[in-house]
Amino acid sequence: MNHINKVAIFLISLFLTFSSVTMVFAACGSANEDYFSNAPTSGFCSSGSFSGLSVCTVGVTNWRCDNGNLGGWVYGGWTWSCQESSGQINYCRAYKSVAILVNGVCGSKHQTTVSSGSLNSGSSGLCSIGPVSNFQIFNGNYWWKCEGSNGGLASDWCIAYISNPCTWSCGSWGACQSGNIQYRSCSSSPSGCTGSNPYATSQSCTYTPPSCTYSCGSWSGCSGSSHTQSRTCSANNTPCSGSTSYNEYAGCTPSCTYSCGSWSGCSGSSHTQSRTCSANNTPCSGSTSYNENTSCTPSCTYSYGSWSTCSVSTYTQTRTATANNTPCSGSTSFTQTQSCTPTINGECGTANGKTYAYNATGYAPDTQCAIGSSSNTAFPNPGSSVSWTCSGTNGGTTASCSASRNPTPVNGSCGSSNGTKGTTAPTTNLCAVGTASLVTGTGPWTWTCSGTNGGTTASCSATKAIDGLCGTSRNGIYSTAPSVNLCTSGASSSPVWNGTNWAWVCRSCDGGRAEFCYANRSIVPVCGTSHDKILSAAPTTNLCAIGTPSLVTGTGPWTWTCNNTSETILSYCGANNTGQSCYFCCR
């Protein structure tokens, strides 16, 4: 019930008091302002007719759920009204309970050691909070989780270790060693079991040395006089029964030694010479004689190349003689010279292949021909080339020559994006003439337009537009639309009420982004839960849900107000004495 309606009821009550007319007011029942997990089924009205339940959901803005009648939103709850035959209506509400989140927790069996087969998913002590889930045996141990409730989280994995005693078995004793001791190996099963080996792995014994075994070295060289050779043999397994080493002898045939005759003459075709070698110490191991060949160097024979071009300075020409049978005895090559009459070929001058500056006017100091005369003396135009020939004499060849000239330079210039404003870096119309560089910066942005043919480079830029920004009135509280401090930058629209906030837009003045701004509306005072109640004594608590309470007046019924001190807005509240059903009753 808003404060205007309550003022009207207050005045009507005064009038009825002086007219000696008794009026009965409708009143909410015990379900009013209470909490339920499901819709209430009783306790709706202590007096008056029950209107039926309405469910409050997010976004409902009718009289049942907004603060115009009930002083606040009732999301997910229920509202109803109680009405007397006179037409007087009292609005009531109830709230939906919220469940508490509960996380799962491991029980007393967590991190304990148990025997195999002693646990299952129904065993006690697995979870202290929540039901058991994912019960399993993994890597030889029990694992499970404890689930949460009302949206709570499941526990981390809980574990109970399964005990696993070892069974031991040992192999045969090894050979007795020189220290009068022998060993054996023992193993346990199953894998991953626990417990130490109860059996001995070493014991005393009487060591008996084995017979010696030998390895022999290489035979020595065969003696040329005695025709014998020897070697030494050593025991492999000391200490052992027998000698640690001994010498072994055997008969042999010595290798032959040779004396060789004189070399034959050098063969001109194979470049080889030979001689015969005979054994000095027969009988011996090897041939009694053999023939030996070696390479040799014969006298050189020559082939002659073509004569060179006749020299115009010395009037001579040369040719080279090259040995046919290298390696040979003599020079591998030499040069012959004879007199001649030269043939002079045409030859291009220093201007050939040269590129001249666009503003050059002639070839000087270069020459078109080093030898011979030019067939074309014209100088190339800017951006073009010229060709000519230089003729020879005495049957000499003609040389082909050319030169070029650079084109006229073109300077770079900025495009239409230069000097503009925008919210992002420009990508088009960067250059009117020339090639654009990469655009750099975050606003302002810069780039260059390079010229061609040696032309100059132009520097260009664009500035960043200023966005609209909300002023200090944003997030303020106003009973009417704010009119000042709306925007820090940009132009403001007129604030409007959108049903929730005061809203306006700050628009950029030079193409920047706009910003949407909001401010809050003043809060209307609202009576507390003591309002509309039947009490045995004047209420002292729960007088106002929103606002500051005044003094409680009257002897039953009792009245008071809730006010918003910043805006002097009042809401009128009241409560009845036991046995009364109206704020002001005529007697």
Side-chain angles (χ1 to χ4, degrees), residues 135 180 223 247 259 290 350 496:
F135 185 89
N180 294 325
S223 170
N247 291 324
S259 296
Y290 67 90
T350 56
V496 295

Side-chain angles (χ1 to χ4, degrees), residues 76 141 164 172 175 178 206 224 226-227 229 277 281-282 289 304 315 320 322 351 367 392 419 465 470-471 473 485 542:
N141 297 307
N164 190 13
S172 301
S178 59
T206 300
S226 64
H227 286 203
Q229 57 185 357
C277 299
N281 56 340
T282 57
S289 65
Y304 295 89
Y315 281 63
T320 299
T322 304
T367 59
C470 297
S473 289
N485 300 321
N542 300 319

Side-chain angles (χ1 to χ4, degrees), residues 176-389:
C176 188
Q177 300 185 16
S178 59
N180 294 325
I181 190 170
Q182 59 186 163
Y183 299 94
R184 67 177 178 179
S185 298
C186 299
S187 61
S188 63
S189 64
S191 176
C193 64
T194 58
S196 59
N197 179 18
Y199 304 110
T201 57
S202 63
Q203 66 179 11
S204 299
C205 60
T206 300
Y207 176 71
T208 300
S211 298
C212 293
T213 61
Y214 296 91
S215 294
C216 298
S218 300
W219 290 104
S220 65
C222 187
S223 170
S225 58
S226 64
H227 286 203
T228 60
Q229 57 185 357
S230 63
R231 65 180 180 179
T232 299
C233 299
S234 301
N236 299 317
N237 54 337
T238 57
C240 58
S241 177
S243 176
T244 58
S245 66
Y246 66 90
N247 291 324
E248 187 176 40
Y249 297 89
C252 62
T253 301
S255 297
C256 295
T257 61
Y258 295 94
S259 296
C260 299
S262 300
W263 291 104
S264 65
C266 184
S267 170
S269 58
S270 64
H271 287 203
T272 60
Q273 56 188 355
S274 62
R275 66 180 178 177
T276 300
C277 299
S278 301
N280 300 316
N281 56 340
T282 57
C284 59
S285 176
S287 298
T288 57
S289 65
Y290 67 90
N291 290 325
E292 187 176 41
N293 296 315
T294 187
S295 60
C296 57
T297 304
S299 298
C300 294
T301 61
Y302 296 94
S303 295
Y304 295 89
S306 300
W307 290 104
S308 67
T309 302
C310 188
S311 171
V312 296
S313 58
T314 62
Y315 281 63
T316 60
Q317 59 186 163
T318 61
R319 68 178 181 178
T320 299
T322 304
N324 299 316
N325 55 337
T326 56
C328 59
S329 177
S331 298
T332 57
S333 66
F334 62 90
T335 301
Q336 286 184 322
T337 304
Q338 69 176 12
S339 299
C340 62
T341 299
T343 298
I344 301 175
N345 296 327
E347 183 178 332
C348 296
T350 56
N352 180 50
K354 189 169 183 179
T355 300
Y356 291 87
Y358 77 96
N359 55 355
T361 57
Y363 293 110
D366 297 316
T367 59
Q368 287 185 280
C369 294
I371 298 175
S373 57
S374 172
S375 63
N376 181 10
T377 60
F379 189 67
N381 293 321
S384 63
S385 62
V386 167
S387 298
W388 67 92
T389 60

